[in-house]
């Protein structure tokens, strides 16, 4: 029965991300860092000194070009179609939003500690949160949900983190923070009955 449920939130998040990207393209340049900064990208001095805390959320819906958007949405589609029917809409929504927020907050704290002031945007922190949530849910379901196993998810997470560290201009701290936040949020929210 669970597999027949529609992933409404997953579809909604994808539509919102694509819609915002297209809107940004219409009024400016999608890859222009200054333009994205003006429209909600995360930048530690603005968040901390300017008290623009909304950037912790708005930055999750902005992307540096089409490839950045497409990569994030493809992973979200693949994982969301499997996770949301199991957790339900509300829990999936909370994992995505608060997991992404957790990733951004860890990134912000790291920037404060390291004295960095880098601009960041993208759904990848939230997508990593979905990945973390998926890992926990699979563990609770005896190592498999749909066609995914714990081993496959750990390999996916490891490769995703590796490619982030091997690339320039990637907010790897947000990725790690999102992964851990998503896992912890799933631990708190997801309590399946009679699966053992």
């Amino acid at each position: 029965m669970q597999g027949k449920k529609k992933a409404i939130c997953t579809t909604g998040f994808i539509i919102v991300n694509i819609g915002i990207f297209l809107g940004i393209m219409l009024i400016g340049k999608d890859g222009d860092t200054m333009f994205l900064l003006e429209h909600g990208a995360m930048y530690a001095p603005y968040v901390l000194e300017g008290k623009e805390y909304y950037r912790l959320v708005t930055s999750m819906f902005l992307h540096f070009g089409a490839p950045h958007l497409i990569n994030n949405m493809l992973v979200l589609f693949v994982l969301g179609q499997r996770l949301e029917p199991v957790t339900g809409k509300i829990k999936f929504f909370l994992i995505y939003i608060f997991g992404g927020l957790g990733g951004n907050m860890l990134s912000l704290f790291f920037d404060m500690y390291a004295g960095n002031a880098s601009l960041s945007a993208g759904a990848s922190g939230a997508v990593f949160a979905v990945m973390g949530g998926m890992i926990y849910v699979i563990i609770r379901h005896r190592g498999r949900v749909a066609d995914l196993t714990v081993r496959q998810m750990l390999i996916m997470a490891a490769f995703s983190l590796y490619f982030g560290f091997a690339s320039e201009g990637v907010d790897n701290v947000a990725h790690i923070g999102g992964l851990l936040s998503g896992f912890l949020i799933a631990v708190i929210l997801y309590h399946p009955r009679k699966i053992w």
Side-chain angles (χ1 to χ4, degrees):
M1 292 294 291
Q2 287 178 328
K4 294 181 180 179
K5 294 180 182 177
K6 293 182 180 179
I8 295 171
C9 279
T10 299
T11 304
F13 281 130
I14 291 172
I15 290 171
V16 169
N17 274 285
I18 292 174
I20 290 173
F21 179 79
L22 293 176
I24 290 292
M25 285 184 66
L26 288 174
I27 62 174
K29 297 179 180 178
D30 57 292
D32 187 328
T33 55
M34 290 307 297
F35 187 79
L36 290 181
L37 177 62
E38 293 171 5
H39 289 83
M42 195 169 83
Y43 185 58
Y46 282 23
V47 176
L48 299 171
E49 297 166 19
K51 302 188 186 311
E52 297 177 359
Y53 304 117
Y54 65 87
R55 291 178 180 273
L56 291 166
V57 176
T58 56
S59 62
M60 292 163 46
F61 296 93
L62 300 173
H63 289 85
F64 294 108
H68 187 206
L69 172 72
I70 292 168
N71 289 339
N72 281 334
M73 294 305 100
L74 282 175
V75 178
L76 175 59
F77 176 79
V78 169
L79 295 181
Q81 292 288 323
R82 289 159 176 79
L83 180 61
E84 187 181 341
V86 179
T87 62
K89 296 185 292 293
I90 294 174
K91 291 175 184 174
F92 180 83
F93 178 89
L94 294 173
I95 288 170
Y96 183 94
I97 292 295
F98 286 102
L101 185 59
N104 279 349
M105 289 178 69
L106 186 64
S107 175
L108 181 66
F109 292 141
F110 182 80
D111 278 358
M112 287 170 51
Y113 176 78
N116 292 334
S118 57
L119 185 75
S120 63
S124 53
V127 171
F128 268 90
V130 171
M131 199 177 296
M134 189 85 231
I135 291 171
Y136 176 72
V137 168
I138 291 175
I139 290 171
R140 291 300 308 270
H141 282 264
R142 304 168 120 180
R144 179 180 290 273
V145 168
D147 55 348
L148 293 177
T149 65
V150 173
R151 182 173 179 271
Q152 289 172 328
M153 285 304 307
L154 291 175
I155 290 173
M156 179 187 290
F159 271 108
S160 298
L161 289 172
Y162 168 76
F163 286 125
F165 280 104
S167 305
E168 291 184 6
V170 176
D171 191 348
N172 294 298
V173 178
H175 292 179
I176 295 170
L179 186 69
L180 296 175
S181 296
F183 186 92
L184 291 174
I185 293 167
V187 169
I188 294 167
L189 296 179
Y190 186 67
H191 305 286
R193 299 177 181 177
K194 299 180 180 178
I195 61 171
W196 293 106

